Amino acid sequence: MGLGPLWKLRRPAAGPEAAAASPEPAATPVVAQASAAPVEDSGTADRAGAIAAMDWPELEENIRACRACGLCRERKQAVPGVGDRRADWLFVGEGPGAEEDQRGEPFVGQAGKLLDAMLAAIELKRGENVYIANTVKCRPPNNRTPEPEETAACWPFLERQIDLLRPRLIVALGRPAAQTLLQTEVKIGAARGRLFAYRGTPVIVTYHPAYLLRNLTDKAKAWEDLLFARRTMADQ
Ligand code: URA
């Protein structure tokens, strides 16, 4: 896979964390309203309220049956998330790709292999103290970036996953995940290395594995971000 030694565990570089603990206002995501829904069930407050009261089985069932945005039309299946429901670590990606849509599990394609290698680099393993979810649970056609109304319609599901999990740290993989969690414009290059929060839970932003597959030189930065995440977890 050409990861080379880059993802091998090694000692963190000495020196202070670059702007590591910049105080950020706790992001209070707004349950945005889905726009004129082409499907049956737009993002109303009632819907968000109902999702906020669901347990895991109900939540997954509702994700699988969801028709709140147009992504339901072309999916093979929705992809709720995978992993340890008592995990300290939550990794949030963008949305399922073709293989995830086929198999019903997040990050099982090439980007997923890289994510697994990234996890291994900080001694984590899919399913063990780690939960993996996506910003949108259904595959955007041709793997395009999810539209804001799609992200908004899916937000109550991610919000409920976070409430049920109560992770100690969230890693946002790429811009859509970061923007959804922090409810603000994010540029990964500017946001990485800083500590954000979602309702009191630390959030660290890094590059999406699919981006890293195309931009190998940024892998070193992602490696730094993972070490920062590991230190942040250890410091809690
Ligand atoms: N990219 C994502 O953001 N999520 C997946 O599940 C797969 C690829």
Side-chain angles (χ1 to χ4, degrees):
M1 208 162 62
L3 290 171
L6 193 54
W7 298 108
K8 277 176 66 180
L9 188 59
R10 56 187 176 184
R11 294 182 67 76
E17 199 67 65
S22 108
E24 286 294 316
T28 308
V30 173
V31 178
Q33 305 293 304
S35 67
V39 282
E40 65 192 34
D41 180 21
S42 66
T44 62
D46 280 355
R47 172 175 172 266
I51 292 171
M54 289 176 184
D55 61 15
W56 277 111
E58 279 177 301
L59 183 62
E60 294 204 341
E61 194 183 316
N62 274 267
I63 291 171
R64 291 202 173 90
C66 181
R67 301 191 59 78
C69 82
L71 293 183
C72 66
R73 292 206 188 96
E74 293 186 46
R75 71 179 178 215
K76 286 196 172 62
Q77 59 186 312
V79 181
V82 71
D84 182 352
R85 291 178 179 172
R86 300 168 62 107
D88 289 332
W89 293 83
L90 170 62
F91 287 76
V92 181
E94 181 174 321
E99 289 188 61
E100 290 78 19
D101 181 55
Q102 184 75 41
R103 287 177 47 186
E105 180 172 335
F107 282 101
V108 289
Q110 283 309 308
K113 291 199 176 79
L114 179 54
L115 178 60
D116 286 341
M118 291 165 74
L119 295 176
I122 52 168
E123 295 171 319
L124 294 175
K125 195 170 175 205
R126 178 185 294 249
E128 291 179 14
N129 203 21
V130 172
Y131 194 89
I132 303 171
N134 276 312
T135 305
V136 294
K137 313 304 189 199
C138 298
R139 183 190 181 203
N142 304 314
N143 299 338
R144 65 162 168 73
T145 303
E147 298 292 343
E149 61 269 25
E150 294 159 353
T151 306
C154 223
W155 167 244
F157 291 137
L158 180 58
E159 189 179 32
R160 185 61 184 154
Q161 287 176 313
I162 298 171
D163 279 351
L164 288 167
L165 284 165
R166 302 202 165 283
R168 287 173 57 206
L169 183 77
I170 303 173
V171 178
L173 301 165
R175 199 165 182 227
Q179 293 191 155
T180 301
L181 287 163
L182 303 176
Q183 287 292 293
T184 186
E185 281 280 315
V186 172
K187 289 207 166 67
I188 300 296
R192 51 174 297 276
R194 298 173 63 192
L195 194 55
F196 296 87
Y198 165 70
R199 295 190 183 167
T201 303
V203 175
I204 285 172
V205 169
T206 191
Y207 296 104
H208 191 283
Y211 166 87
L212 294 173
L213 289 172
R214 300 186 306 267
N215 297 273
L216 300 181
T217 54
D218 280 336
K219 277 188 178 177
K221 294 181 187 163
W223 165 248
E224 287 169 16
D225 300 339
L226 292 173
L227 293 181
F228 174 37
R230 195 173 61 164
R231 281 197 296 278
T232 303
M233 179 67 90
D235 287 349
Q236 284 193 77

